[in-house]
Amino acid sequence: MDVFDFRSRLVRDYRDYVESFIQIKDPRIYAYVHQILDQGELWPEPLIQLNPAFEPGAWIDELVDQHILHPLCKNIFRRKTEPSDLGRPLQLYQHQTEAIKIAQTGHSYVLTTGTGSGKSLAYIIPIVNAILCRQQSKGIKAIIIYPMNALANSQYGELEKFIHYGFTKDEYAIRFAKYTGEVKDE
């Protein structure tokens, strides 16, 4: 399939549709509207973006074996699809691996990378690891603030897969909760 030809046909069909209900009697307005349509006002140029391949990093199991992550991380951070799923090993991207190693030093870091590159795991794994390493202490260990409820809900679902899937309720390594404007006061 020629994607550029497909776009041209799509624009032509859409233009035919739009023009089918435009009935302008004034010749000056008619000319102006068609000039604007000819300039592509309703159909911008195609946007072509590359989807970068991110450099592979360490496997979670390797980081556990190197004593960078708590042993339970080997069971928590796996690819899981359903509650009874024990999951498959999880390989990180290089920028995630580096972020986790920096977090282990106690230094702050800023990670900027593309959409879908796993920024969330680059902070979730160090948080979960720190909680596992300090299991004796009581109380709230971390608070994560999201700018939108949709993101909080999405991240909650992902965290639930990691923390709950593959474990019984009695085996949950850590507890977590979500508090948004959607939560009732009581």
Side-chain angles (χ1 to χ4, degrees), residues 11-101:
V11 167
R12 187 173 50 250
D13 290 347
Y14 183 60
R15 181 176 180 152
D16 289 346
Y17 168 74
V18 168
E19 288 180 332
S20 72
F21 59 85
I22 296 177
Q23 298 176 3
I24 303 169
K25 295 193 188 257
D26 185 297
R28 291 173 300 165
I29 295 174
Y30 179 89
Y32 177 75
V33 167
H34 281 79
Q35 175 188 355
I36 294 298
L37 292 176
D38 290 341
Q39 293 172 355
E41 188 67 27
L42 297 181
W43 31 83
E45 288 300 313
L47 173 63
I48 299 174
Q49 294 179 318
L50 298 176
N51 187 5
F54 300 103
E55 185 177 344
W59 293 83
I60 291 290
D61 293 7
E62 291 173 342
L63 296 176
V64 169
D65 293 343
Q66 295 168 11
H67 305 288
I68 294 170
L69 293 177
H70 188 280
L72 279 175
C73 287
K74 202 180 254 192
N75 297 11
I76 292 172
F77 293 105
R78 299 177 69 78
R79 295 195 178 281
K80 304 171 187 175
T81 56
E82 57 188 56
S84 62
D85 190 2
L86 297 177
R88 297 180 328 273
L90 177 64
Q91 183 177 19
L92 301 170
Y93 293 125
Q94 184 59 34
H95 60 271
Q96 294 170 312
T97 303
E98 291 173 15
I100 291 165
K101 288 179 177 180

